[in-house]
């Protein structure tokens, strides 16, 4: 069986890395059959260390770390790599330029999905780094697509629950309800769809739970990854 | 924070690799605190390829593959490695001699637990490779501990469900019941405890479900791994 070996930079956070692993295997088997298991490598990072780089905006140290990790994945036989985390994409271009293997971008995959669905105005929920930064906003606005955010207070709350509740084995029901309420408000503000722009969010809320279309960044990234690994997309 | 970086040879099968990952992170946080995440690397193998080596008893090819994988983990910064699978331990000694990093043996950890619990007669449930081979039986019998197996028909059925039902997202209730029935029969034959000698079995049955003491090889191996990673045991 011919496929490119996937290298996953994960651990930020662990539950979403499990989702990636499970969805990649399910997707692989869905395309090739039940007996097929992809060989792949996951480098699970120390989330505490990575959050320090984010908080200090130390993109140099973050990039150095990620380059080293991807070199290790490449040494372990991976043909390409991906960040199983939205926020890490702040340094995607810098890292990509310094590594030997190709990388599949989550942001690019989600943007392609936004265009495919012909959305004119999208809501964005994720860590504050992602909501307040430009990784989605800039390319969206350049394409004439509006980018809407939750109220400031809710942004702070979303950040808090990503770091706290979404790491728990059982997510409190109030948290799920309030996350869905935020989706609803973004829809009332005019969003045609809402990007779950943190790979931890689908641990709590899924497309089926919301009348407003949700763009699950984990699912979209996994699909792009399998397309690339199986050579269906160049 | 000072700890040895863990390299996991996993994917045989994926659900048990997820258990290892989750239990290692939980155990790490249980010992060091909620904010601590271990950096680690998982090389998830193609289970189809590995099962072919098992079926053909091609221990040379299996060893070559595993040496290559552990060298990759070591190159990715891992300080030691482990097989997240009982059956792979058939080649543990051969592989250990050929790699640069130390390895933590699941079999040794389980045997120590058998001695610690002062069991005189243990049941063994796992793949046919493990039940019919000597990786547990030989060291147990050398220590004067009886090693009891399920009836032959049940052995074949256990092998079947490990490969089929235990890989499903929802495990059929009849499968769980019949696995527990096997534990009960081993206990009736005189077993003081039963070794769940396949890392996939705890996906279906856990210690809490059985009046007969179960030795969960995944849990025991994870504990030994954390002891080693955190330097509590030499």
């Amino acid at each position: 069986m011919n496929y490119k070996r996937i290298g996953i930079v994960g651990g930020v956070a662990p539950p979403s890395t499990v989702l990636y692993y499970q969805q990649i295997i399910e997707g692989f088997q869905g395309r090739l059959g039940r007996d097929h298991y992809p060989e792949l490598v996951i480098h699970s990072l120390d989330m505490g260390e990575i959050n320090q780089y984010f908080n200090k905006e130390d993109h140099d140290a973050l990039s150095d770390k990620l380059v080293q990790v991807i070199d290790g994945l490449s040494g372990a036989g991976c043909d390409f790599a991906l960040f199983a985390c939205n926020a890490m994409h702040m340094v995607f271009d810098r890292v990509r330029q310094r590594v030997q293997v190709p990388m599949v971008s989550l942001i690019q995959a989600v943007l392609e999905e936004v265009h495919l669905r012909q959305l004119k105005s999208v809501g964005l929920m994720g860590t504050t780094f992602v909501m307040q930064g430009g990784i989605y906003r800039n390319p969206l606005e350049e394409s004439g697509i509006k980018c809407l955010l939750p109220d400031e207070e809710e942004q702070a709350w979303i950040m808090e629950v990503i770091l706290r509740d979404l790491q728990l084995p059982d997510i409190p029901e109030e948290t799920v309800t309030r996350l869905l309420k935020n989706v609803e408000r973004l829809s009332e503000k005019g969003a045609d769809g809402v990007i779950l722009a943190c790979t931890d969010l689908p641990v709590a809320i899924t497309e089926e739970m919301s009348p407003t279309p949700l763009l699950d960044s984990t699912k979209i990234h996994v699909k792009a990854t399998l397309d690339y690994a199986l050579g269906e997309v160049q």
Side-chain angles (χ1 to χ4, degrees), chain A:
Chain A
M1 187 184 14
N2 207 4
Y3 62 92
K4 298 185 194 81
R5 190 182 296 175
I6 307 168
I8 300 175
V9 182
V12 184
S16 66
T17 299
V18 170
L19 281 188
Y20 266 87
Y21 182 54
Q22 290 170 331
Q23 289 182 16
I24 285 172
I25 289 169
E26 274 166 32
F28 200 83
Q29 296 188 330
R31 295 183 192 203
L32 297 179
R34 270 273 149 234
D35 296 335
H36 290 90
Y37 291 86
E39 184 168 345
L40 58 84
V41 188
I42 301 170
H43 191 124
S44 183
L45 296 163
D46 171 356
M47 187 157 83
E49 178 191 350
I50 302 302
N51 280 342
Q52 278 184 7
Y53 301 140
F54 284 148
N55 289 327
K56 292 192 225 157
E57 296 188 37
D58 190 349
H59 290 183
D60 287 338
L62 178 61
S63 302
D64 288 349
K65 173 77 195 178
L66 295 173
V67 167
Q68 191 193 25
V69 165
I70 292 177
D71 287 346
L73 288 171
S74 151
C78 294
D79 298 308
F80 70 107
L82 61 95
F83 294 151
C85 165
N86 281 261
M88 252 183 233
H89 284 76
M90 290 190 287
V91 296
F92 182 85
D93 288 330
R94 300 171 58 161
V95 171
R96 179 167 53 175
Q97 286 162 16
R98 293 171 56 193
V99 296
Q100 302 300 316
V101 289
M103 295 183 62
V104 172
S105 161
L106 175 154
I107 309 292
Q108 197 190 321
V110 173
L111 291 172
E112 280 169 15
E113 184 72 18
V114 169
H115 290 296
L116 199 72
R117 297 202 195 182
Q118 301 185 301
L119 305 177
K120 298 293 166 222
S121 175
V122 296
L124 196 61
M125 284 167 65
T127 56
T128 45
F129 315 118
V130 168
M131 288 187 285
Q132 290 161 15
I135 48 174
Y136 280 105
R137 171 180 299 278
N138 296 348
L140 283 171
E141 292 185 347
E142 277 163 25
S143 314
I145 297 165
K146 252 185 151 170
C147 180
L148 302 167
L149 298 184
D151 306 333
E152 265 185 39
E153 196 186 319
E154 289 303 291
Q155 286 181 34
W157 175 80
I158 292 169
M159 179 66 177
E160 229 180 271
V161 297
I162 287 172
L163 292 175
R164 192 190 55 213
D165 296 6
L166 304 195
Q167 309 310 322
L168 300 173
D170 295 303
I171 298 165
E173 222 174 283
E174 316 85 80
T175 302
V176 174
T177 310
R178 187 158 160 192
L179 285 169
L180 289 171
K181 187 79 201 161
N182 270 289
V183 172
E184 204 184 311
R185 274 200 219 114
L186 287 165
S187 157
E188 285 162 11
K189 284 188 194 174
D192 307 324
V194 172
I195 302 174
L196 300 182
C198 170
T199 53
D200 292 328
L201 284 169
V203 174
I205 60 176
T206 58
E207 287 160 289
E208 298 73 33
M209 294 178 179
S210 160
T212 307
L214 295 181
L215 284 78
D216 176 335
S217 57
T218 305
K219 227 184 221 175
I220 294 166
H221 197 198
V222 165
K223 186 185 170 297
T225 299
L226 289 172
D227 287 346
Y228 188 81
L230 294 165
E232 290 170 29
V233 161
Q234 189 34 274

